[in-house]
Amino acid sequence: MAADFDLSSSFIPALHKPSSLLPIARHRKNILYLIDTFPVTIIVGQTGSGKTTQVPQFLNQARWTADGKVIGVTQPRRVAATTVAARVAEEVGCKLGEEVGYSIRFEDLTSVKTHIKFVTDGLLLREALADPLLSKYSVVMVDEAHERSLSSDILLGVLKKIRKKRPDLRIVVSSATLQAEGILNFFSSKTHAIDGSDTQLAIGRIISLEGRMYPVDIHYLRDPAEDYLEEVVKTVFEIHSSEPEGDILAFLTGREEIDVALKMITDRSLALHPKAPSVLALPLYAGLTSEQQLSVFDLAPENTRKVIVSTNIAEASVTIDGIIYVIDCGFVKLRAYNPLTGIETLTPTPVSKASAIQRAGRAGRTKPGKCYRLYTERAYDALTEATVPEIQRSNLAPVILQLKALGIDNILRFDFLTPPPAELVTRALELLYSLGALDDYAKLTRPIGIRMAELAVEPMMAKVLLEAPSMGCLSEILSIAAMTSLQGSVWFEGSDGRKGQETSRRKFAAEEGDHLTLLNVYETFITKGRKESRWCRENHLNFKSMTRAVSVRNQLRRYLERLGVQVEESLAPGQKQKVDGNDRAVRIRRCLTTGYFVHAARMQPDGTFKTVNESVTLHAHPSSLMFNRKADWVIFHELMETGEKTFIRDVTKIEKNWLLEGGSGEYYQLKDGSRSKTAGV
Ligand code: ADP
Ligand code: MG
């Protein structure tokens, strides 16, 4: 019956292309048989073959959810979790949140009716805190396992443990590459104890979906690009003016870059001949609204070429039909953690060969395509084979805190898919110790450590939240925590460019730095702008982000109340500030220092900053209040590297002696003015 559909007809929107035509359809029986028979099933298939959207539906129809159990599907990224959930809900024919839902940090769109639940891998780990055997799930599918995200890796280890206590649990691992073998070995290996008579054959099987791939012509640059962003835009128009129809997918590294590129593309497309085909440029990155995310799947209007400018998310987790041309800037934003300085960065890094190949493959899904690599062939040859798993280059403090809370005390003996380097583990233990989450025996402290693990924010912010009641500023810290958790800036550029934004920002500016400025913004929004998007527009504030901050704050508040922490909301900001404005600001800054002492820096005579051990030079980000201002000691929320410079964002002035209080005192030993850092363990 599928043959009745004429696929080339533009009358059939992509959304209604029958799923029976996907490569996975022919494997349905076999996949169900394997999952029925074996504890672990590994599905390998090219991106777009239907793993993410179809397997959960197969399972649902095969009554894996009959007794109220849930099929959980993890995604390494929030955007992927929400877009695929929306897609599957559409295929199933239900409203999102009913039979099909998703759950990501601070956002839960599921109900008692939900049978298929998409979650981020990090969130499923968090669920294990409350339900250690993940007992509500009949099947857990760890999707995109080839990406080797930190939380997926840990989750696989935790699932291996759970499986021993829950033989009925089915584990499905899906991967776009053949690293699958290693994963099956991992599940069948008997690690430490005597473990029955598992053999690899008894534990599971690998199934490969042969996906069809059309040839992709690869083009390299003759000379290295000076500015890959400019080069992306140039290439878009070269393709547009000289190549036959077909949509373009361009990879850049992050939201800022993508926004700039979109603006450039839109500006330049105005110069196209009025009768020539036009260009419709669309962004795809985390932090877009769901409607924006889904609009990349819409067919472009007639006589229009769609250009999607995306982060790495379109490399494997999200598939868009109709792509014939791929532009690969050659970079991806990767997390990197320096155990010596304790500083974590998110830096554009050259992609691996595996990534470059995967990106190029996005062009050959429906017919032969072309891939433009914006680097030389020599540069390609010099790329590493595969990306280093996140677990080997991340700050491990958050996951170690989680593992400890799950009762896994001996981190070194935990069954890692790939063990992390010892210095990363040591450093994480040191940090958790100085935050008061671990005791001298590296055991989770009560109640602080347990509570830190329960709060859905990173350990430094968790510590600050838990200290806040005793410092009389919990209400304020909650607002600050919510504001700093937003992805991207709350400010937007108006039609008047940067200028208007600057003026608005100055209205809310607090002398002491960005955190208090964010607090001013939040408190004014609550009293003046909550119901009015106009107020936000006039102040160059993103209404959606602000609304989100309110909801995040409510959730954090609920988490705290569940832990038995009472939240007393402060008086209306105007009143409060008059009474003890100065004192209030001091308490807040002091409280922030109890968690963020690791992120302390001192301003140098030339206006740059140095970390405490003077090993790293930092620059205030142009969006920070501390840009071009005088300060001495500061703490900062996060770090970003672009090109040669390391920027700090959300910066607040502090007093040097606050660094000597509490756990931070042990973390830093400041001797006779010479700043030497010794570890706190
Ligand atoms: P895999 O997980 O194997 O990479 P998916 O299940 O994500 O594959 O995708 C299967 C097919 O579904 C893709 O070829 C794509 O065309 C289609 N698809 C997925 N998400 C959407 C969406 N939101 N809108 C339209 N089509 C989609
Ligand atoms: Mg997928």
Side-chain angles (χ1 to χ4, degrees):
M1 97 208 148
D4 289 336
F5 286 94
D6 174 5
L7 280 185
S8 62
S9 158
S10 55
F11 289 110
I12 301 173
L15 276 176
H16 300 290
K17 194 159 100 182
S19 56
S20 54
L21 290 184
L22 286 172
I24 203 163
R26 286 190 295 120
H27 298 275
R28 179 197 161 105
K29 260 200 178 147
N30 200 7
I31 289 173
L32 286 174
Y33 166 76
L34 292 178
I35 295 174
D36 228 8
T37 316
F38 300 101
V40 180
T41 302
I42 296 177
I43 305 178
V44 183
Q46 257 164 33
T47 315
S49 48
K51 304 181 294 295
T52 310
T53 56
Q54 304 308 308
V55 174
Q57 294 187 68
F58 294 170
L59 291 165
N60 192 23
Q61 290 152 2
R63 312 197 59 77
W64 278 92
T65 51
D67 47 358
K69 288 249 166 39
V70 177
I71 297 157
V73 186
T74 72
Q75 297 290 318
R77 294 189 192 79
R78 298 161 57 97
V79 216
T82 56
T83 47
V84 292
R87 166 66 176 182
V88 174
E90 178 138 15
E91 286 189 16
V92 167
C94 72
K95 251 177 66 192
L96 193 54
E98 289 178 355
E99 208 170 329
V100 182
Y102 69 79
S103 194
I104 59 181
R105 190 170 70 137
F106 297 133
E107 208 176 318
D108 182 22
L109 211 60
T110 61
S111 61
V112 281
K113 286 195 216 156
T114 304
H115 287 162
I116 301 177
K117 173 167 159 185
F118 290 90
V119 281
T120 49
D121 40 25
L123 201 84
L124 193 65
L125 270 181
R126 188 166 287 288
E127 279 187 20
L129 286 181
D131 177 10
L133 294 181
L134 295 174
S135 54
K136 72 185 225 206
Y137 296 97
S138 56
V139 183
V140 172
M141 170 160 156
V142 182
D143 203 3
E144 313 290 350
H146 63 271
E147 275 202 30
R148 304 296 310 273
S149 84
L150 177 56
S151 298
S152 296
D153 267 24
I154 300 280
L155 186 62
L156 288 171
V158 170
L159 285 171
K160 183 173 175 182
K161 266 179 102 76
I162 292 178
R163 201 191 67 75
K164 291 179 191 153
K165 300 206 181 108
R166 263 196 70 193
D168 59 310
L169 175 70
R170 288 302 185 255
I171 300 167
V172 178
V173 181
S174 83
S175 168
T177 65
L178 254 169
Q179 289 188 343
E181 200 116 337
I183 296 180
L184 191 57
N185 283 336
F186 168 74
F187 274 104
S188 50
S189 74
K190 295 169 241 168
T191 41
H192 311 296
I194 319 113
D195 178 24
S197 57
D198 276 353
T199 67
Q200 184 167 332
L201 277 181
I203 197 99
R205 292 285 189 280
I206 300 176
I207 174 166
S208 290
L209 319 168
E210 72 306 332
R212 170 138 197 219
M213 264 289 283
Y214 294 87
V216 176
D217 237 354
I218 310 273
H219 299 254
Y220 292 97
L221 289 186
R222 206 162 298 141
D223 304 301
E226 256 169 42
D227 174 354
Y228 62 69
L229 215 156
E230 169 65 35
E231 197 70 35
V232 162
V233 177
K234 208 173 103 196
T235 311
V236 164
F237 285 95
E238 277 168 14
I239 295 171
H240 187 59
S241 59
S242 61
E243 295 287 338
E245 64 173 19
D247 296 335
I248 302 176
L249 171 63
F251 287 97
L252 280 172
T253 73
R255 174 179 180 160
E256 281 90 2
E257 278 178 13
I258 292 174
D259 284 342
V260 174
L262 284 181
K263 196 156 180 302
M264 286 163 75
I265 294 172
T266 311
D267 286 352
R268 274 186 224 183
S269 68
L270 296 177
L272 291 171
H273 191 277
K275 289 212 180 109
S278 49
V279 166
L280 174 66
L282 299 166
L284 183 58
Y285 53 71
L288 292 175
T289 64
S290 328
E291 305 97 83
Q292 283 174 314
Q293 275 163 28
L294 292 176
S295 71
V296 300
F297 295 101
D298 295 342
L299 286 181
E302 210 172 314
N303 210 22
T304 302
R305 195 192 294 269
K306 195 161 74 172
V307 180
I308 292 157
V309 189
S310 172
T311 57
N312 213 34
I313 178 178
E315 186 179 301
S317 8
V318 170
T319 296
I320 304 145
D321 286 334
I323 302 293
I324 306 293
Y325 308 99
V326 163
I327 304 174
D328 174 8
C329 77
F331 287 84
V332 61
K333 250 192 203 159
L334 283 190
R335 274 209 259 182
Y337 182 70
N338 181 337
L340 290 177
T341 57
I343 282 175
E344 184 170 38
T345 50
L346 199 58
T347 312
T349 313
V351 294
S352 64
K353 277 190 188 134
S355 254
I357 292 166
Q358 176 72 22
R359 285 181 176 187
R362 315 307 278 133
R365 291 195 46 248
T366 41
K367 54 175 154 171
K370 292 189 175 173
C371 173
Y372 299 80
R373 292 187 172 147
L374 303 183
Y375 37 95
T376 63
E377 191 160 6
R378 275 185 62 181
Y380 173 81
D381 289 333
L383 294 177
T384 55
E385 289 303 321
T387 314
V388 179
E390 224 173 36
I391 197 165
Q392 298 191 315
R393 53 182 165 84
S394 300
N395 172 10
L396 299 179
V399 291
I400 289 186
L401 186 61
Q402 292 252 301
L403 287 175
K404 295 254 176 196
L406 287 173
I408 298 159
D409 253 328
N410 193 337
I411 299 300
L412 291 175
R413 286 195 58 196
F414 179 71
D415 210 346
F416 291 103
L417 194 55
T418 312
E423 64 265 31
L424 284 185
V425 177
T426 313
R427 179 64 183 202
L429 292 173
E430 279 172 15
L431 176 60
L432 292 171
Y433 174 80
S434 62
L435 287 171
L438 300 181
D439 64 16
D440 288 346
Y441 306 97
K443 284 234 189 295
L444 213 53
T445 55
R446 281 168 198 276
I448 272 269
I450 306 260
R451 287 177 172 182
M452 278 173 66
E454 299 256 347
L455 284 173
V457 290
E458 32 122 14
M460 293 191 274
M461 188 52 95
K463 175 68 185 308
V464 173
L465 279 166
L466 292 171
E467 284 289 326
S470 68
M471 302 181 93
C473 55
L474 180 54
S475 171
E476 289 86 350
I477 293 290
L478 268 173
S479 309
I480 292 172
M483 290 294 283
T484 51
S485 81
L486 301 173
Q487 294 188 340
S489 175
V490 287
W491 305 96
F492 69 85
E493 238 173 83
S495 48
D496 43 0
R498 285 248 153 180
K499 259 224 175 97
Q501 186 187 333
E502 276 310 315
T503 319
S504 290
R505 222 180 1 215
R506 222 165 291 145
K507 270 205 276 190
F508 298 99
E511 172 62 20
E512 297 89 346
D514 296 315
H515 291 94
L516 284 145
T517 303
L518 288 173
L519 179 63
N520 280 341
V521 169
Y522 185 87
E523 291 186 337
T524 321
F525 174 73
I526 288 299
T527 46
K528 296 220 180 103
R530 195 163 187 176
K531 287 177 205 78
E532 284 180 82
S533 54
R534 210 190 74 209
W535 179 86
C536 280
R537 236 183 354 260
E538 283 166 4
N539 288 290
H540 297 86
L541 284 165
N542 192 326
F543 181 69
K544 283 224 164 93
S545 303
M546 291 305 304
T547 316
R548 198 173 140 71
V550 175
S551 125
V552 169
R553 188 183 187 280
N554 281 337
Q555 296 209 36
L556 280 174
R557 195 194 141 121
R558 247 175 281 135
Y559 285 137
L560 283 166
E561 284 170 351
R562 250 199 342 243
L563 296 175
V565 180
Q566 279 312 309
V567 182
E568 274 174 55
E569 296 295 354
S570 52
L571 302 170
Q575 274 171 295
K576 186 92 181 179
Q577 240 144 12
K578 263 182 231 128
V579 184
D580 60 356
N582 206 1
D583 170 49
R584 178 169 102 129
V586 169
R587 275 184 280 128
I588 295 169
R589 285 152 60 215
R590 232 180 156 126
C591 187
L592 287 167
T593 312
T594 63
Y596 284 89
F597 57 86
V598 185
H599 281 178
R602 187 179 198 181
M603 192 180 262
Q604 306 299 301
D606 65 355
T608 63
F609 291 88
K610 279 253 160 69
T611 51
V612 174
N613 62 6
E614 303 206 324
S615 60
V616 188
T617 301
L618 306 165
H619 301 261
H621 192 265
S623 72
S624 168
L625 217 89
M626 288 299 142
F627 184 67
N628 281 340
R629 286 205 198 188
K630 278 252 161 305
D632 189 18
W633 286 92
V634 297
I635 49 109
F636 54 90
H637 184 73
E638 64 177 355
L639 251 144
M640 292 174 28
E641 260 175 54
T642 33
E644 309 286 87
K645 280 187 181 172
T646 308
F647 290 104
I648 50 181
R649 242 200 329 214
D650 297 339
V651 186
T652 283
K653 290 183 188 170
I654 58 154
E655 302 286 332
K656 172 184 165 186
N657 56 351
W658 296 347
L659 288 175
L660 298 174
E661 297 169 354
S664 44
E666 290 188 46
Y667 192 81
Y668 293 125
Q669 283 185 0
L670 290 94
K671 292 179 204 148
D672 358 283
S674 72
R675 289 170 300 276
S676 65
K677 197 202 123 282
T678 53
V681 172

